Amino acid sequence: MKNPSYGILNRIKRIIEYTSALSKIKSIIKTQKPDMVIAERTTSYGFLAALSGVQPIVIAQQGISDLWPETSILLPIKKQIQNYAFKKAHLIHAWGPVMTDAMKKANVDMHKVLILPKGIDLDVFENKKRESEYN
């Protein structure tokens, strides 16, 4: 998405961009014929991936919950969008156990959830330099 989500005008532009994205995604899928679609954020790219019809779909929840801000008047719609994405996903990536609490509350099939930290495994890649060596 190219448009930021702050401000009324930007939000309107973003909604228009979002609604036109599905046809672009389907066109890319038809051309590229991917083996899998991987999407971050259940309520945006995850939802679009679920609508695309491609299989399998892997969705990564962005944070503790993708339902934010919690005071949003769109929260009920976001919940429906997220539930649809969760149901259509073949695998749901959680970066840590703390992210699964929201998934459990949303009645996600926890057999689809893979908890795998995002980032560098410090047990495998150790920084052997001392802080003084960077100066």
Side-chain angles (χ1 to χ4, degrees):
M1 306 290 282
K2 294 178 182 176
N3 291 295
S5 61
Y6 56 84
I8 299 293
L9 185 59
N10 285 333
R11 281 216 182 256
I12 292 168
K13 287 180 185 178
R14 191 170 173 93
I15 288 169
I16 292 168
E17 181 183 19
Y18 187 78
T19 56
S20 66
L22 184 58
S23 63
K24 291 177 188 175
I25 291 168
K26 285 186 175 188
S27 174
I28 292 168
I29 289 169
K30 188 175 182 180
T31 305
Q32 300 295 319
K33 297 178 178 71
D35 295 326
M36 166 188 303
V37 171
I38 301 171
E40 276 197 34
R41 296 189 183 100
T42 57
T43 56
S44 56
Y45 304 117
F47 180 65
L48 289 171
L51 288 176
S52 75
V54 100
Q55 293 183 10
I57 298 169
V58 178
I59 295 175
Q61 184 167 287
Q62 183 65 23
I64 292 173
S65 171
D66 280 346
L67 300 176
W68 56 271
E70 293 177 354
T71 57
S72 172
I73 60 170
L74 298 176
L75 199 61
I77 294 169
K78 288 180 181 183
K79 282 183 181 181
Q80 290 178 333
I81 287 170
Q82 185 182 56
N83 285 336
Y84 182 81
F86 279 147
K87 283 184 174 91
K88 293 292 182 176
H90 296 88
L91 179 68
I92 303 165
H93 177 205
W95 302 340
V98 70
M99 297 173 77
T100 63
D101 292 339
M103 293 177 192
K104 290 174 185 171
K105 287 179 187 172
N107 294 319
V108 170
D109 177 357
M110 296 308 289
H111 291 98
K112 294 193 221 181
V113 177
L114 169 67
I115 301 171
L116 183 66
K118 183 177 180 181
I120 298 169
D121 185 345
L122 296 177
D123 292 332
V124 177
F125 299 98
E126 183 182 340
N127 183 0
K128 298 186 191 248
K129 287 188 177 183
R130 286 177 259 190
E131 189 176 329
S132 62
E133 294 179 56
Y134 290 108
N135 297 327

